[in-house]
């Protein structure tokens, strides 16, 4: 079954999806007292946006993702950057019991879930992760900014209108970045036996039209991606909808919902 992150989407994701600023990794290290002795699991690792920087701070990381194309690009990036301490596992949140059997109880410093929890059954997942964690370890639910078309700026509203017209459907899914989702995740963590705190990292960025169109492609499912011969028209429509702006400032909020094992 394809999840939609395969093929070209994986390549757009790797090229255009922004990584996380260093302060996010400082927050993870601080929240769980991570040391160079620790093992981390990055669930829904995609092309490795969280996996590789965290690997620089700990003993070893296991990146887990159900999409082979995402995993292959992550593996290649790790090779290119000479990371020798990352293992890659084709799997999903439903494979956590097998992962727990492999790693044993109380061995993991943190399980990170970057911009991926909305694909998972969090109420089942959080209790299943608990036995894997060493004392003081925990689960980090990380979001990486509001989707490009849902931000509170004129260009973002224009982009949303343009995309909704192209797709003939409303685009309102905040992918776990909204306050209601964060509350739901926090409540679920507490119910599963974690102490929860939220940390935020705010920064501003500015992207150009190429980044914007690439960012949109990286967020579409494989089926929804415009065919190669439609892409010039697609980009032109976006450019015209956003005219005369050619640079697009963003306020990016990264949230780290840290659930420490009680
Ligand atoms: C938006 S990407 C996030 C990638 C990366 N963690 C980041 O922070 O940019 C979501 C990833 O979750 C993966 N995914 C989807 N369903 C999943 C599941 N049930 N269990 C684990 N990963 C899943 C997708 O294949 C995709 O690579």
């Amino acid at each position: 079954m394809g999840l939609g992150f395969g093929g070209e989407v994986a390549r757009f994701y790797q090229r255009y999806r922004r990584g996380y600023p260093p302060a996010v990794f400082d927050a993870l290290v601080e929240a769980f007292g991570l040391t160079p002795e620790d093992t981390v699991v990055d669930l829904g690792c995609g092309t490795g946006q969280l996996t590789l920087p965290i690997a620089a701070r700990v003993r070893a990381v296991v990146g887990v993702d159900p999409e082979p194309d995402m995993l292959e690009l992550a593996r290649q990036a790790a090779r290119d950057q000479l990371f020798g301490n990352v293992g890659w596992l084709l799997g999903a949140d439903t494979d956590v019991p097998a992962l727990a059997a492999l790693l044993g109880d109380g061995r993991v410093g943190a399980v990170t879930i970057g911009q991926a929890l909305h694909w998972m059954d969090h109420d089942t997942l959080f209790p299943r992760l608990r036995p894997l964690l060493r004392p003081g370890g925990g689960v980090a639910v990380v979001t990486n900014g509001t989707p490009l078309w849902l931000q509170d700026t004129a260009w973002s509203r224009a982009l949303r209108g343009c995309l909704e017209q192209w797709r003939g459907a409303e685009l309102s899914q905040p992918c776990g970045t909204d306050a209601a989702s964060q509350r739901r995740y926090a409540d679920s963590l507490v119910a599963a036996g974690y102490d929860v705190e939220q940390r935020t990292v705010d920064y501003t960025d500015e992207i150009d039209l190429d980044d914007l169109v690439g960012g949109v492609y990286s967020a579409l499912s494989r089926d929804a991606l415009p065919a190669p011969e439609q892409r010039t028209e697609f980009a032109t429509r976006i450019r015209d909808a956003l005219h005369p702006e050619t640079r697009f400032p963003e306020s990016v909020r990264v949230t780290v919902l840290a659930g420490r094992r009680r």
Side-chain angles (χ1 to χ4, degrees), residues 3-6 13 17-20 42-51 64-68 70-71 91-95 112-121 125 142-144 175 218-219:
L3 278 163
F5 283 98
Y13 201 95
R17 198 56 80 94
R18 61 162 64 88
Y20 298 88
D42 186 26
L43 189 56
C45 63
T47 54
Q49 276 78 356
L50 273 180
T51 332
V64 182
D65 201 284
E67 175 47 65
M70 296 290 260
L71 220 44
D93 58 330
T94 45
D95 294 305
T112 53
I113 305 170
Q115 208 47 75
L117 190 63
H118 56 293
W119 295 98
M120 306 177 195
D121 174 358
L125 177 65
V142 185
T143 64
N144 199 8
C175 305
S218 81

Side-chain angles (χ1 to χ4, degrees), residues 149-261:
W149 52 91
L150 290 182
Q151 298 177 17
D152 188 18
T153 58
W155 68 258
S156 178
R157 285 186 283 276
L159 176 65
R160 180 177 178 178
C162 176
L163 294 176
E164 288 184 339
Q165 200 177 27
W166 177 276
R167 300 201 56 199
E170 200 190 336
L171 290 177
S172 56
Q173 172 54 259
C175 305
T177 59
D178 58 313
S181 300
Q182 289 286 305
R183 257 195 314 275
R184 246 192 357 267
Y185 299 157
D187 290 347
S188 180
L189 280 166
V190 169
Y194 298 84
D195 289 326
V196 176
E197 71 174 319
Q198 193 198 51
R199 296 165 187 234
T200 54
V201 176
D202 292 302
Y203 66 99
T204 54
D205 194 13
E206 193 175 271
I207 58 176
D208 63 15
L209 188 67
D210 181 56
D211 296 325
L212 190 89
V213 174
V216 169
Y217 289 161
S218 81
L220 294 176
S221 73
R222 195 176 187 168
D223 299 343
L225 203 58
E229 64 277 12
Q230 294 179 306
R231 293 201 190 139
T232 304
E233 188 198 339
F234 184 81
T236 303
R237 280 212 201 180
I238 292 181
R239 189 198 62 201
D240 291 350
L242 274 49
H243 182 79
E245 307 305 332
T246 55
R247 307 279 310 170
F248 309 101
E250 275 191 271
S251 297
V252 183
R253 164 157 291 190
V254 178
T255 60
V256 178
L257 196 60
R260 203 173 302 110
R261 194 192 119 167

